[in-house]
Amino acid sequence: MKKILSLFLPLVLFLILAIPAQALEYPKNDFSISEVPIFTFFSPNGKPPRVKIIREKNNEEVESEIYKTGSEVFRISLKDKTVVTGKYRLELLNPDVYASDADSSFEFNWGNGLPGSTFPKPSAGSFLALYFKEQPDQKGKQIIKTNTTSVHFREADGTIRGVFTPNPIFYKEGDEWEPIDNTLKDGEDEITASGIPIVINKDGVVIFKNTPFEEETISFGLYNPNTKIYKKIADLPQGQIKGNQYIMKTSDFSHVYTLGNPDGLVEELTFYQKPDLGQIIGKDSDDWLVMETEVKGLDLPDGWVTEPITLGSQTFPLPQTKQATGQNVFTKWFAQKVNNTQYLYTGIAAGMLNKLIYPITIDPDITSYAESTQGYIEGQSTNYNTAHTTAYNFANANGHHMWLGRAYLDAKGGPQYTIYRNFYSFDTSSIGSSGIVNNATLTTDCTGTGECSSAISFNVQILKYNWTSPLNSGNMQGNYTGCYNSYSDSNNNSNPVIWFTTGATGSPTSPNLDTAWINKTGSTFYCFKSSRDNGVANTANEWIWIQPGTNVDFPTRRTYLTVNYSTPTPTPTPTLVPAIKFNGVKMNGVKVN
């Protein structure tokens, strides 16, 4: 409904904003009411209105422009066409009252797709900052809308470029949308990051907000699952912040928390060389080298934990250990209560330590949310056919790299085969049912050096598969099998798109994808597999790492979907109401002087 600004603003003397006497001519097709903050005014004397647009959060003025669109009609827009999302107020400075199609208070809200824009200087660890480093041509372009997992740019030809990520890149603080930034910030008592509900206390306790779950890895040592005796080797040292990591490091080992997407915290204990066990008294052949972690909010019976755990909004995939070669090492969880305190011991058989290639990294995988929309499933067995057809474990990619391809380990008891298949989903509903998809591509990065190399080359295939999200122990088998079977689906995957061939450098972008597969009112699902993922057993490693998460040092470490689309944009016809002068006229029973 049209508003008369005099009903909202008392007649007080405002600081006058200098406006040129001659308004700018309205540039046709420059913008529309549905896309940018713009307000229409009517002036019977043909003089441009004088206004202020004030951001309420900091009470700062935002520059505006006046366009004359008729003999007595004016439009006011933001000069930059970009403004931080939030609440604003419009102040009229003219002594005359102008009728307008705007309230005196309004809000730009990205999350609802309303008029909005970008952050002129995105914080260093936010997705926008990382994206602009990789795509500098997009910097400064008008952002017309966003939601928690996407941002949409207006291109020079009038089309829209939508960039979609699997996990959130914006969060709402109060009434305003802010960029998620995984850069850790050192507070007095705790370490936090913008928009991520995880806190690392200075005493080492990790707290997941709005959940009962807390954890603290205290030390590492030897654990005997038969006697249930733990023998400590060393406590963890004091940590230091580096970007999105909290690092506790010595010359022999490091314990690192890496804050990835808002879905979780990756914890890794790395040994640079074989741990010295010489000083341990009472060593036993049944000992395991483990991390000792105290947890709250998790109640487990004593003994081995043999299956992934789902707890409310969180998942606990099985732990894993990797050698320097990338090969898996058999890893176990042991649960034990001591004086009603729940402990988890995560590690590998101590008898294996002499046979491994260092450094080795133990990843307990106990800090993941179940809402993750990206991850991988692995099949693992000493029998290749079993590994190829049966899911063994899954991992939601909460800052993890994503293993893709096939691994081979020539172990003492015979060969061990591991097959990795990847799963991604993107919320593309912000395109809308009226959107016309012109093209779509996927972009990723492999390792920190940008080299997607494998000892044996293979093609990375993109398959259209509506997998069940989020990954968990209940659906991993169906998803694992379904991804492989989708290859032979003649309806849509008889000729799967080859994303890239291993050995590619830089940040590989796929060929154009099937535009009909993009779900304009929901989520778009894909799975990825190796072209050598077939019924013939491998005899060597043939795998790569795909990076799904953000990292301050490597801007391309996030896989994202880019969709170029068009939308019908009807020319708005503003409805104007006559201007009213004060001069003692009563409005709603109130006399205005």
Side-chain angles (χ1 to χ4, degrees):
M1 187 174 74
K2 308 303 177 188
K3 308 291 183 184
I4 306 299
L5 291 182
S6 61
L7 300 180
F8 300 90
L9 303 173
L11 287 181
V12 297
L13 182 61
F14 292 109
L15 176 64
I16 303 299
L17 172 66
I19 298 290
Q22 180 64 41
L24 301 173
E25 289 300 318
Y26 176 58
K28 292 182 179 180
N29 300 322
D30 185 50
F31 50 78
S32 71
I33 285 177
S34 64
E35 292 168 1
V36 299
I38 181 171
F39 311 101
T40 303
F41 289 81
F42 176 78
S43 172
N45 56 21
K47 294 181 180 180
R50 298 198 303 272
V51 300
K52 274 186 179 182
I53 297 179
I54 308 294
R55 189 181 185 207
E56 292 187 350
K57 182 175 182 179
N58 51 17
N59 209 35
E60 290 184 357
E61 181 179 342
V62 179
E63 288 188 272
S64 58
E65 290 179 329
I66 309 296
Y67 294 90
K68 189 173 184 178
T69 62
S71 61
E72 298 178 333
V73 180
F74 297 84
R75 286 183 180 176
I76 296 178
S77 175
L78 301 176
K79 185 173 183 180
D80 191 1
K81 305 296 187 296
T82 63
V83 66
V84 180
T85 183
K87 288 186 176 180
Y88 293 76
R89 68 177 183 273
L90 188 65
E91 295 182 356
L92 180 67
L93 306 179
N94 288 52
D96 293 334
V97 178
Y98 292 81
S100 171
D101 62 354
D103 289 342
S104 62
S105 180
F106 53 91
E107 181 174 1
F108 305 145
N109 186 334
W110 285 10
N112 293 329
L114 300 177
S117 56
T118 186
F119 297 82
K121 294 181 180 179
S123 51
S126 68
F127 172 72
L128 278 182
L130 305 178
Y131 179 74
F132 287 151
K133 288 180 182 179
E134 186 184 75
Q135 304 285 345
D137 61 311
Q138 293 302 112
K139 192 172 184 179
K141 287 188 178 180
Q142 178 192 350
I143 294 178
I144 62 171
K145 62 180 175 179
T146 189
N147 60 21
T148 56
T149 58
S150 72
V151 58
H152 302 248
F153 299 89
R154 171 67 72 187
E155 297 295 286
D157 61 1
T159 61
I160 301 170
R161 176 189 289 199
V163 181
F164 304 87
T165 63
N167 293 86
I169 53 178
F170 300 103
Y171 73 102
K172 200 164 189 179
E173 183 175 323
D175 294 327
E176 300 189 5
W177 287 92
E178 303 288 352
I180 291 173
D181 185 341
N182 66 351
T183 304
L184 292 173
K185 299 175 179 64
D186 194 353
E188 183 177 348
D189 299 314
E190 59 187 25
I191 300 167
T192 60
S194 299
I196 298 180
I198 298 172
V199 173
I200 304 174
N201 284 347
K202 293 295 182 67
D203 59 5
V205 177
V206 178
I207 300 172
F208 289 73
K209 293 182 178 179
N210 306 316
T211 79
F213 185 72
E214 298 180 8
E215 68 151 86
E216 179 186 6
T217 296
I218 304 167
S219 65
F220 68 87
L222 295 178
Y223 181 78
N224 188 314
N226 298 321
T227 62
K228 297 185 179 179
I229 295 176
Y230 173 70
K231 300 174 284 289
K232 181 172 67 175
I233 295 176
D235 291 314
L236 298 184
Q238 185 67 31
Q240 292 184 329
I241 295 173
K242 182 180 180 181
N244 64 334
Q245 294 185 319
Y246 185 61
I247 303 172
M248 292 157 272
K249 186 175 182 179
T250 72
S251 59
D252 298 321
F253 69 91
S254 66
H255 178 270
V256 180
Y257 287 119
T258 301
L259 201 58
N261 299 324
D263 303 281
L265 187 72
V266 177
E267 181 182 9
E268 294 176 322
L269 175 64
T270 299
F271 293 97
Y272 304 122
Q273 56 194 5
K274 177 179 175 289
D276 182 9
L277 307 182
Q279 77 278 22
I280 303 299
I281 299 174
K283 295 190 297 294
D284 190 280
S285 59
D286 292 331
D287 283 343
W288 287 61
L289 176 69
V290 297
M291 305 164 56
E292 178 196 28
T293 304
E294 178 182 340
V295 296
K296 294 181 180 179
L298 195 63
D299 187 12
L300 298 171
D302 285 4
W304 288 21
V305 181
T306 58
E307 295 183 355
I309 303 167
T310 298
L311 176 66
S313 63
Q314 294 171 286
T315 59
F316 302 83
L318 293 174
Q320 55 186 340
T321 300
K322 301 289 183 182
Q323 301 183 65
T325 58
Q327 292 172 314
N328 287 296
V329 183
F330 187 63
T331 311
K332 279 289 190 179
W333 271 338
F334 303 92
Q336 184 176 341
K337 288 191 184 73
V338 179
N339 297 325
N340 293 320
T341 299
Q342 181 71 69
Y343 288 90
L344 279 175
Y345 300 98
T346 309
I348 61 177
M352 288 288 296
L353 295 177
N354 288 326
K355 306 173 185 178
L356 304 180
I357 300 175
Y358 291 85
I360 64 170
T361 299
I362 301 174
D363 180 355
D365 257 340
I366 62 173
T367 53
S368 300
Y369 282 141
E371 288 86 352
S372 182
T373 52
Q374 55 187 341
Y376 66 84
I377 301 175
E378 62 181 90
Q380 186 179 106
S381 177
T382 55
N383 179 281
Y384 178 79
N385 184 63
T386 300
H388 188 252
T389 59
T390 306
Y392 169 76
N393 193 18
F394 73 97
N396 286 308
N398 304 312
H400 276 288
H401 41 247
M402 304 261 281
W403 296 78
L404 179 66
R406 305 192 297 180
Y408 176 85
L409 176 62
D410 187 9
K412 182 177 180 180
Q416 178 179 282
Y417 303 96
T418 306
I419 297 175
Y420 303 97
R421 297 166 191 162
N422 290 186
F423 300 82
Y424 283 85
S425 71
F426 304 88
D427 179 3
T428 46
S429 61
S430 52
I431 295 174
S433 58
S434 63
I436 302 169
V437 178
N438 303 316
N439 59 66
T441 58
L442 278 163
T443 302
T444 192
D445 188 27
C446 293
T447 65
T449 58
E451 296 180 357
C452 306
S453 59
S454 168
I456 296 177
S457 182
F458 60 89
N459 294 331
V460 178
Q461 297 176 333
I462 301 175
L463 307 177
K464 297 175 289 186
Y465 172 51
N466 285 317
W467 54 278
T468 303
S469 175
L471 297 179
N472 57 47
S473 57
N475 63 36
M476 68 177 183
Q477 181 60 55
N479 283 329
Y480 187 70
T481 303
C483 177
Y484 182 79
N485 288 340
S486 66
Y487 175 83
S488 59
D489 183 351
S490 59
N491 182 44
N492 58 16
N493 280 324
S494 56
N495 294 299
V497 172
I498 296 175
W499 194 346
F500 57 88
T501 301
T502 55
T505 59
S507 183
T509 295
S510 73
N512 288 335
L513 304 173
D514 182 4
T515 57
W517 184 252
I518 304 299
N519 189 342
K520 298 182 292 185
T521 58
S523 292
T524 301
F525 291 80
Y526 295 101
C527 74
F528 313 140
K529 62 181 283 290
S530 163
S531 59
R532 292 176 58 84
D533 179 353
N534 52 39
V536 180
N538 54 310
T539 57
N541 284 325
E542 41 186 72
W543 54 263
I544 57 174
W545 288 342
I546 287 182
Q547 304 287 0
T550 56
N551 186 295
V552 175
D553 299 320
F554 299 100
T556 58
R557 281 193 172 182
R558 182 187 284 266
T559 296
Y560 56 88
L561 173 69
T562 302
V563 179
N564 181 276
Y565 66 99
S566 307
T567 56
T569 309
T571 303
T573 304
T575 303
L576 304 173
V577 297
I580 303 174
K581 295 181 181 295
F582 288 114
N583 298 330
V585 175
K586 288 185 177 181
M587 297 182 180
N588 294 337
V590 180
K591 184 176 181 180
V592 183
N593 294 313

